[in-house]
Amino acid sequence: MTTYRAAWVCPIDQPPIRDAIIEIEEGIIQSVQSGSRLPDAGSRQLGNVAVLPGLINAHTHLELSWLRGRVPPANQFTDWVKTLVGIRRGTEQAITPDMVAEVNAAIRELRASGTVAVGDITNSLAAVEPMLEAGLHGVVFHELLGFKERDGALIESTRALRAAASARGARISLAPHAPYSTSVELFKAIRAAVSASDCPILSVHLGESIEEVELLEKGSGPWRGMLQAIGVWRDDWDIPGCGPLQFLDRHGVIDARTLVVHGVQFDDAALARLRDIGATLVTCPRSNRWVGAGYPPIDRFYRSGVSLAVGTDSLASVDDLNLFSELKTMRWLAPAVPAAKMLESATLAGAKALGLDAELGSITPGKRADLIAVQLPDAIDDVEEYLVGGIEPAQIQLLNP
Protein backbone atom coordinates (compact mmCIF):
# COMPACT_ATOMS: atom_id res chain seq x y z
CA MET A 1 0.00 0.00 0.00
CA THR A 2 1.26 3.47 -0.93
CA THR A 3 -0.10 6.44 0.98
CA TYR A 4 0.17 10.07 -0.15
CA ARG A 5 -0.59 13.03 2.06
CA ALA A 6 -1.06 16.46 0.49
CA ALA A 7 -2.21 19.94 1.41
CA TRP A 8 -5.07 19.55 -1.07
CA VAL A 9 -6.67 16.81 -3.10
CA CYS A 10 -9.09 17.72 -5.92
CA PRO A 11 -10.99 14.50 -6.67
CA ILE A 12 -13.13 16.27 -9.35
CA ASP A 13 -16.22 14.20 -8.55
CA GLN A 14 -16.44 15.86 -5.13
CA PRO A 15 -15.23 19.17 -3.65
CA PRO A 16 -11.54 19.67 -2.82
CA ILE A 17 -10.29 18.07 0.38
CA ARG A 18 -7.83 19.98 2.55
CA ASP A 19 -5.04 18.02 4.25
CA ALA A 20 -5.98 14.79 2.49
CA ILE A 21 -4.73 11.24 2.29
CA ILE A 22 -4.87 8.97 -0.78
CA GLU A 23 -4.25 5.24 -0.42
CA ILE A 24 -3.14 3.27 -3.47
CA GLU A 25 -2.46 -0.40 -3.97
CA GLU A 26 -1.00 -1.92 -7.14
CA GLY A 27 -1.71 1.25 -9.06
CA ILE A 28 -5.39 1.43 -8.05
CA ILE A 29 -6.92 4.09 -5.79
CA GLN A 30 -8.23 2.51 -2.58
CA SER A 31 -9.44 5.52 -0.61
CA VAL A 32 -9.48 9.32 -0.49
CA GLN A 33 -10.12 10.96 2.85
CA SER A 34 -9.39 13.83 5.15
CA GLY A 35 -6.00 13.62 6.79
CA SER A 36 -7.38 13.97 10.32
CA ARG A 37 -6.12 10.51 11.20
CA LEU A 38 -2.43 9.90 11.71
CA PRO A 39 -0.66 8.89 8.50
CA ASP A 40 0.65 5.37 8.17
CA ALA A 41 4.34 4.80 8.70
CA GLY A 42 6.13 5.23 5.41
CA SER A 43 3.50 7.46 3.85
CA ARG A 44 4.78 10.01 1.37
CA GLN A 45 4.39 13.61 2.52
CA LEU A 46 3.89 15.61 -0.65
CA GLY A 47 3.70 18.93 1.17
CA ASN A 48 2.07 22.06 -0.20
CA VAL A 49 0.63 20.60 -3.39
CA ALA A 50 -2.75 19.93 -4.95
CA VAL A 51 -3.20 16.37 -6.19
CA LEU A 52 -5.43 15.97 -9.26
CA PRO A 53 -6.29 13.17 -11.66
CA GLY A 54 -4.12 13.32 -14.75
CA LEU A 55 -5.50 15.62 -17.44
CA ILE A 56 -7.30 14.43 -20.58
CA ASN A 57 -6.42 16.22 -23.83
CA ALA A 58 -9.50 15.32 -25.86
CA HIS A 59 -8.27 16.67 -29.19
CA THR A 60 -4.79 16.86 -30.60
CA HIS A 61 -2.82 15.88 -33.74
CA LEU A 62 0.48 14.41 -32.60
CA GLU A 63 1.65 13.62 -36.13
CA LEU A 64 1.69 17.36 -36.87
CA SER A 65 4.17 18.11 -34.09
CA TRP A 66 6.95 18.69 -36.64
CA LEU A 67 5.03 21.77 -37.80
CA ARG A 68 5.67 23.66 -34.58
CA GLY A 69 6.58 27.24 -35.41
CA ARG A 70 6.11 26.73 -39.16
CA VAL A 71 2.48 27.82 -39.61
CA PRO A 72 2.00 31.42 -38.46
CA PRO A 73 -1.26 32.75 -36.99
CA ALA A 74 -3.83 33.94 -39.53
CA ASN A 75 -6.80 36.29 -39.59
CA GLN A 76 -8.88 33.97 -41.73
CA PHE A 77 -9.18 30.20 -41.25
CA THR A 78 -8.87 29.31 -44.93
CA ASP A 79 -5.65 31.33 -45.18
CA TRP A 80 -4.20 29.30 -42.33
CA VAL A 81 -5.32 26.08 -44.02
CA LYS A 82 -3.65 27.07 -47.30
CA THR A 83 -0.35 27.60 -45.50
CA LEU A 84 -0.67 24.32 -43.61
CA VAL A 85 -1.50 22.33 -46.75
CA GLY A 86 1.34 23.94 -48.67
CA ILE A 87 3.90 23.00 -46.03
CA ARG A 88 2.48 19.55 -45.45
CA ARG A 89 1.94 18.54 -49.08
CA GLY A 90 3.30 15.05 -49.74
CA THR A 91 3.94 14.19 -46.10
CA GLU A 92 0.49 12.82 -45.15
CA GLN A 93 1.70 9.22 -45.44
CA ALA A 94 5.49 9.73 -45.80
CA ILE A 95 6.38 9.95 -42.12
CA THR A 96 10.11 10.35 -41.59
CA PRO A 97 12.21 9.43 -38.53
CA ASP A 98 12.55 13.13 -37.75
CA MET A 99 8.77 13.47 -37.67
CA VAL A 100 8.49 10.50 -35.33
CA ALA A 101 11.10 12.09 -33.09
CA GLU A 102 8.89 15.17 -32.89
CA VAL A 103 5.94 12.98 -31.92
CA ASN A 104 8.00 11.45 -29.12
CA ALA A 105 9.02 14.92 -27.94
CA ALA A 106 5.38 16.04 -27.99
CA ILE A 107 4.34 13.05 -25.88
CA ARG A 108 7.04 13.90 -23.34
CA GLU A 109 5.71 17.45 -23.30
CA LEU A 110 2.17 16.21 -22.74
CA ARG A 111 3.26 14.05 -19.82
CA ALA A 112 5.38 16.81 -18.28
CA SER A 113 2.38 19.14 -18.27
CA GLY A 114 0.12 16.60 -16.59
CA THR A 115 -1.72 14.87 -19.45
CA VAL A 116 -2.28 11.13 -19.17
CA ALA A 117 -4.66 10.46 -22.10
CA VAL A 118 -5.47 11.96 -25.49
CA GLY A 119 -7.91 11.88 -28.36
CA ASP A 120 -5.39 11.89 -31.20
CA ILE A 121 -6.40 12.67 -34.78
CA THR A 122 -4.20 11.12 -37.44
CA ASN A 123 -4.01 10.51 -41.18
CA SER A 124 -1.03 8.17 -40.92
CA LEU A 125 -1.30 6.47 -37.50
CA ALA A 126 2.27 7.68 -36.93
CA ALA A 127 1.67 8.29 -33.23
CA VAL A 128 0.41 4.81 -32.41
CA GLU A 129 3.78 3.23 -31.63
CA PRO A 130 5.11 6.25 -29.68
CA MET A 131 1.91 6.36 -27.61
CA LEU A 132 2.12 2.65 -26.81
CA GLU A 133 5.80 2.89 -25.90
CA ALA A 134 5.14 5.87 -23.62
CA GLY A 135 2.08 4.32 -21.97
CA LEU A 136 -0.08 7.25 -23.08
CA HIS A 137 -3.73 6.26 -22.91
CA GLY A 138 -6.41 7.39 -25.30
CA VAL A 139 -8.17 6.85 -28.60
CA VAL A 140 -6.46 7.24 -31.96
CA PHE A 141 -8.90 8.53 -34.56
CA HIS A 142 -7.94 7.62 -38.12
CA GLU A 143 -9.15 10.63 -40.06
CA LEU A 144 -10.60 10.16 -43.52
CA LEU A 145 -11.61 12.90 -45.93
CA GLY A 146 -12.79 13.20 -49.50
CA PHE A 147 -15.36 15.69 -50.73
CA LYS A 148 -15.85 13.71 -53.95
CA GLU A 149 -16.11 10.28 -52.31
CA ARG A 150 -19.41 8.63 -53.27
CA ASP A 151 -19.33 5.60 -51.00
CA GLY A 152 -17.37 4.04 -48.15
CA ALA A 153 -14.67 2.42 -50.27
CA LEU A 154 -12.01 4.48 -48.51
CA ILE A 155 -12.87 2.74 -45.25
CA GLU A 156 -12.22 -0.69 -46.73
CA SER A 157 -9.02 0.33 -48.51
CA THR A 158 -7.48 1.55 -45.25
CA ARG A 159 -8.80 -1.22 -43.00
CA ALA A 160 -5.50 -3.14 -42.84
CA LEU A 161 -3.67 -0.09 -41.52
CA ARG A 162 -6.09 0.24 -38.60
CA ALA A 163 -6.15 -3.51 -37.96
CA ALA A 164 -2.37 -3.57 -37.58
CA ALA A 165 -2.53 -0.73 -35.05
CA SER A 166 -5.32 -2.43 -33.11
CA ALA A 167 -3.31 -5.66 -33.02
CA ARG A 168 -0.51 -3.76 -31.28
CA GLY A 169 -2.95 -2.78 -28.51
CA ALA A 170 -4.07 0.68 -29.59
CA ARG A 171 -7.69 1.81 -29.33
CA ILE A 172 -8.52 2.83 -32.89
CA SER A 173 -11.57 4.52 -34.33
CA LEU A 174 -12.44 6.55 -37.43
CA ALA A 175 -12.98 10.28 -37.82
CA PRO A 176 -14.57 12.12 -40.72
CA HIS A 177 -12.66 15.39 -41.05
CA ALA A 178 -15.23 18.16 -41.59
CA PRO A 179 -18.23 19.11 -43.78
CA TYR A 180 -16.05 21.06 -46.22
CA SER A 181 -13.75 18.09 -46.84
CA THR A 182 -15.94 15.01 -46.47
CA SER A 183 -18.89 13.93 -48.57
CA VAL A 184 -22.25 12.99 -47.08
CA GLU A 185 -21.77 9.46 -48.39
CA LEU A 186 -18.43 9.10 -46.61
CA PHE A 187 -19.81 10.69 -43.42
CA LYS A 188 -22.60 8.10 -43.31
CA ALA A 189 -20.27 5.19 -44.07
CA ILE A 190 -17.88 6.24 -41.31
CA ARG A 191 -20.73 6.63 -38.85
CA ALA A 192 -21.97 3.12 -39.62
CA ALA A 193 -18.48 1.62 -39.38
CA VAL A 194 -17.75 3.33 -36.06
CA SER A 195 -21.09 2.30 -34.54
CA ALA A 196 -20.37 -1.34 -35.41
CA SER A 197 -16.79 -1.28 -34.09
CA ASP A 198 -15.17 -2.24 -30.79
CA CYS A 199 -14.44 1.46 -30.16
CA PRO A 200 -17.72 3.17 -31.14
CA ILE A 201 -16.47 6.71 -30.56
CA LEU A 202 -16.37 9.28 -33.36
CA SER A 203 -14.63 12.66 -33.57
CA VAL A 204 -15.40 15.43 -36.07
CA HIS A 205 -14.29 19.03 -36.62
CA LEU A 206 -17.46 21.12 -36.76
CA GLY A 207 -18.56 24.73 -36.56
CA GLU A 208 -15.01 26.02 -36.42
CA SER A 209 -15.10 28.95 -38.85
CA ILE A 210 -17.45 31.41 -40.51
CA GLU A 211 -16.20 30.13 -43.89
CA GLU A 212 -17.59 26.68 -43.05
CA VAL A 213 -20.94 28.23 -42.10
CA GLU A 214 -21.08 30.18 -45.37
CA LEU A 215 -20.43 27.06 -47.44
CA LEU A 216 -23.20 25.09 -45.75
CA GLU A 217 -25.76 27.87 -45.62
CA LYS A 218 -25.17 29.43 -49.06
CA GLY A 219 -22.84 27.14 -51.00
CA SER A 220 -20.39 30.01 -51.50
CA GLY A 221 -17.28 31.55 -49.99
CA PRO A 222 -13.60 30.67 -49.62
CA TRP A 223 -14.16 26.95 -49.07
CA ARG A 224 -16.00 26.54 -52.34
CA GLY A 225 -13.25 28.45 -54.11
CA MET A 226 -10.56 26.22 -52.56
CA LEU A 227 -12.38 23.00 -53.43
CA GLN A 228 -12.84 24.15 -57.01
CA ALA A 229 -9.21 25.23 -57.28
CA ILE A 230 -7.90 21.81 -56.29
CA GLY A 231 -10.39 19.99 -58.49
CA VAL A 232 -12.53 18.26 -55.89
CA TRP A 233 -15.74 20.28 -56.08
CA ARG A 234 -18.92 18.32 -56.82
CA ASP A 235 -21.46 19.98 -59.08
CA ASP A 236 -24.12 17.62 -57.72
CA TRP A 237 -23.49 18.71 -54.12
CA ASP A 238 -26.75 19.89 -52.60
CA ILE A 239 -26.38 23.08 -50.61
CA PRO A 240 -27.63 22.13 -47.13
CA GLY A 241 -28.97 25.61 -46.34
CA CYS A 242 -28.39 25.14 -42.61
CA GLY A 243 -25.73 25.34 -39.92
CA PRO A 244 -22.97 22.75 -39.37
CA LEU A 245 -24.60 20.93 -36.44
CA GLN A 246 -27.99 20.70 -38.15
CA PHE A 247 -26.30 19.40 -41.31
CA LEU A 248 -24.66 16.42 -39.63
CA ASP A 249 -27.59 15.85 -37.30
CA ARG A 250 -30.04 15.47 -40.18
CA HIS A 251 -27.79 12.75 -41.65
CA GLY A 252 -27.55 10.82 -38.37
CA VAL A 253 -23.81 11.35 -37.93
CA ILE A 254 -23.83 12.62 -34.33
CA ASP A 255 -24.77 10.56 -31.29
CA ALA A 256 -23.90 10.42 -27.59
CA ARG A 257 -20.51 8.88 -28.38
CA THR A 258 -19.41 11.72 -30.66
CA LEU A 259 -16.73 14.30 -29.91
CA VAL A 260 -17.75 17.47 -31.72
CA VAL A 261 -14.60 19.58 -31.87
CA HIS A 262 -14.52 23.40 -31.84
CA GLY A 263 -18.13 24.68 -32.18
CA VAL A 264 -16.94 28.29 -32.29
CA GLN A 265 -19.83 29.21 -34.57
CA PHE A 266 -22.61 27.27 -32.81
CA ASP A 267 -25.70 29.22 -31.85
CA ASP A 268 -27.78 28.45 -28.77
CA ALA A 269 -30.06 26.08 -30.68
CA ALA A 270 -27.10 24.01 -31.86
CA LEU A 271 -25.68 23.83 -28.35
CA ALA A 272 -29.05 22.77 -26.95
CA ARG A 273 -29.31 20.04 -29.57
CA LEU A 274 -25.82 18.77 -28.72
CA ARG A 275 -26.80 18.69 -25.06
CA ASP A 276 -29.97 16.74 -25.83
CA ILE A 277 -28.10 14.24 -27.98
CA GLY A 278 -25.55 13.75 -25.18
CA ALA A 279 -22.55 14.39 -27.41
CA THR A 280 -19.39 16.01 -26.04
CA LEU A 281 -18.19 19.38 -27.32
CA VAL A 282 -14.39 19.74 -27.28
CA THR A 283 -13.07 23.30 -27.11
CA CYS A 284 -9.56 24.34 -28.19
CA PRO A 285 -9.56 28.09 -27.52
CA ARG A 286 -5.92 28.94 -28.16
CA SER A 287 -5.92 27.13 -31.48
CA ASN A 288 -9.20 28.74 -32.55
CA ARG A 289 -7.65 32.18 -32.18
CA TRP A 290 -4.41 31.14 -33.89
CA VAL A 291 -6.12 29.82 -37.03
CA GLY A 292 -8.33 32.88 -37.45
CA ALA A 293 -11.60 31.33 -36.29
CA GLY A 294 -11.82 33.59 -33.23
CA TYR A 295 -12.22 32.70 -29.58
CA PRO A 296 -15.01 30.26 -28.68
CA PRO A 297 -17.97 31.39 -26.52
CA ILE A 298 -16.90 29.50 -23.40
CA ASP A 299 -19.55 31.07 -21.19
CA ARG A 300 -22.34 30.07 -23.60
CA PHE A 301 -20.93 26.56 -23.83
CA TYR A 302 -21.31 26.07 -20.09
CA ARG A 303 -24.68 27.82 -19.86
CA SER A 304 -26.06 25.47 -22.51
CA GLY A 305 -25.45 22.42 -20.32
CA VAL A 306 -23.53 20.57 -23.03
CA SER A 307 -20.76 18.28 -21.81
CA LEU A 308 -17.56 20.24 -22.46
CA ALA A 309 -14.09 18.71 -22.76
CA VAL A 310 -10.81 20.45 -23.63
CA GLY A 311 -8.10 19.91 -26.24
CA THR A 312 -4.99 21.75 -27.35
CA ASP A 313 -5.24 20.87 -31.05
CA SER A 314 -1.84 20.48 -32.74
CA LEU A 315 1.52 22.19 -32.44
CA ALA A 316 0.78 23.71 -35.84
CA SER A 317 -1.64 26.07 -34.07
CA VAL A 318 -0.48 26.39 -30.46
CA ASP A 319 2.80 27.14 -28.76
CA ASP A 320 2.68 24.14 -26.45
CA LEU A 321 0.55 21.15 -25.40
CA ASN A 322 -0.03 22.32 -21.83
CA LEU A 323 -3.73 21.82 -21.10
CA PHE A 324 -3.42 24.15 -18.11
CA SER A 325 -2.75 26.93 -20.64
CA GLU A 326 -6.12 26.17 -22.25
CA LEU A 327 -7.75 26.45 -18.82
CA LYS A 328 -6.08 29.81 -18.28
CA THR A 329 -7.50 31.06 -21.59
CA MET A 330 -10.93 29.68 -20.72
CA ARG A 331 -10.85 31.46 -17.37
CA TRP A 332 -9.97 34.73 -19.14
CA LEU A 333 -12.81 34.25 -21.62
CA ALA A 334 -15.38 33.21 -19.01
CA PRO A 335 -14.53 34.70 -15.59
CA ALA A 336 -17.93 33.83 -14.10
CA VAL A 337 -17.79 30.08 -14.80
CA PRO A 338 -16.89 28.10 -11.65
CA ALA A 339 -13.33 26.86 -11.70
CA ALA A 340 -14.58 23.42 -10.66
CA LYS A 341 -16.48 23.12 -13.95
CA MET A 342 -13.39 23.95 -15.97
CA LEU A 343 -11.29 21.41 -14.09
CA GLU A 344 -13.97 18.80 -14.73
CA SER A 345 -13.79 19.62 -18.45
CA ALA A 346 -10.05 18.96 -18.48
CA THR A 347 -10.39 15.65 -16.63
CA LEU A 348 -13.62 13.72 -16.15
CA ALA A 349 -15.54 15.11 -19.15
CA GLY A 350 -12.69 14.19 -21.48
CA ALA A 351 -12.34 10.75 -19.91
CA LYS A 352 -16.06 10.09 -20.42
CA ALA A 353 -15.92 11.25 -24.02
CA LEU A 354 -13.04 8.86 -24.77
CA GLY A 355 -14.63 5.94 -22.92
CA LEU A 356 -11.94 6.05 -20.22
CA ASP A 357 -13.97 7.22 -17.21
CA ALA A 358 -13.99 3.79 -15.56
CA GLU A 359 -10.22 4.21 -15.14
CA LEU A 360 -9.36 7.91 -15.36
CA GLY A 361 -10.71 11.41 -14.87
CA SER A 362 -11.32 11.54 -11.12
CA ILE A 363 -9.66 10.45 -7.89
CA THR A 364 -12.18 7.74 -7.10
CA PRO A 365 -11.63 4.35 -5.43
CA GLY A 366 -11.25 1.68 -8.06
CA LYS A 367 -9.72 3.96 -10.70
CA ARG A 368 -6.12 4.02 -11.88
CA ALA A 369 -3.77 6.14 -9.81
CA ASP A 370 -2.57 8.23 -12.75
CA LEU A 371 -2.25 11.35 -10.63
CA ILE A 372 -0.40 14.65 -10.74
CA ALA A 373 0.73 16.97 -7.95
CA VAL A 374 0.83 20.73 -8.58
CA GLN A 375 3.04 22.90 -6.39
CA LEU A 376 1.07 25.65 -4.64
CA PRO A 377 2.01 29.07 -3.27
CA ASP A 378 2.39 29.37 0.50
CA ALA A 379 -1.06 30.83 1.19
CA ILE A 380 -4.09 29.77 -0.83
CA ASP A 381 -7.81 29.69 -0.06
CA ASP A 382 -9.35 28.71 -3.40
CA VAL A 383 -7.27 25.89 -4.82
CA GLU A 384 -9.52 25.31 -7.82
CA GLU A 385 -9.30 28.95 -8.87
CA TYR A 386 -5.53 28.81 -8.61
CA LEU A 387 -5.39 25.73 -10.86
CA VAL A 388 -7.22 27.45 -13.73
CA GLY A 389 -4.98 30.51 -13.52
CA GLY A 390 -2.06 29.03 -15.45
CA ILE A 391 0.21 26.19 -14.28
CA GLU A 392 3.66 25.58 -15.75
CA PRO A 393 5.28 22.14 -16.19
CA ALA A 394 7.94 23.02 -13.59
CA GLN A 395 5.16 23.02 -10.97
CA ILE A 396 3.90 19.55 -11.93
CA GLN A 397 5.00 16.21 -10.55
CA LEU A 398 3.75 12.91 -11.94
CA LEU A 399 2.96 10.53 -9.12
CA ASN A 400 4.05 6.94 -9.66
CA PRO A 401 2.91 4.78 -6.76
Side-chain angles (χ1 to χ4, degrees), residues 173-176 189-203 257:
S173 188
L174 284 166
I190 291 173
R191 174 73 272 175
V194 169
S195 296
S197 73
D198 293 335
C199 184
I201 304 169
L202 183 144
S203 180
R257 296 168 296 186

Side-chain angles (χ1 to χ4, degrees), residues 13 21 86 124 129 155 159 164 187 226 228 233 271 325 338:
D13 59 356
I21 289 174
S124 67
E129 202 62 42
I155 298 173
R159 188 180 301 277
F187 262 119
M226 286 180 64
Q228 290 175 326
W233 178 255
L271 291 172
S325 295

Side-chain angles (χ1 to χ4, degrees), residues 11 15 18 31 52 62 76 126 140 144 167 183 198 234 242 246 249 256 260 302 304 335 341 343 350 359 365 391:
R18 189 192 291 266
S31 70
L52 291 80
L62 290 172
Q76 182 171 293
V140 176
L144 302 181
S183 68
D198 293 335
R234 283 176 58 168
C242 64
Q246 186 180 356
D249 190 23
V260 175
Y302 282 107
S304 74
K341 294 297 295 181
L343 290 172
E359 297 183 331
I391 302 299

Side-chain angles (χ1 to χ4, degrees), residues 61 247 331 386 399:
H61 299 251
F247 172 58
R331 163 49 80 231
Y386 178 77
L399 300 182

Side-chain angles (χ1 to χ4, degrees), residues 209-232:
S209 69
I210 57 173
E211 295 90 345
E212 176 188 335
V213 173
E214 181 179 1
L215 177 70
L216 295 175
E217 290 186 346
K218 302 177 181 178
S220 60
W223 270 121
R224 178 166 182 156
M226 286 180 64
L227 294 171
Q228 290 175 326
I230 62 177
V232 298

Side-chain angles (χ1 to χ4, degrees), residues 343-382:
L343 290 172
E344 181 181 2
S345 292
T347 53
L348 188 54
K352 288 179 178 178
L354 296 174
L356 298 170
D357 53 307
E359 297 183 331
L360 301 171
S362 63
I363 304 179
T364 305
K367 292 192 177 185
R368 294 174 59 97
D370 286 7
L371 309 178
I372 62 175
V374 176
Q375 190 67 44
L376 301 174
D378 291 338
I380 187 168
D381 294 321
D382 190 335

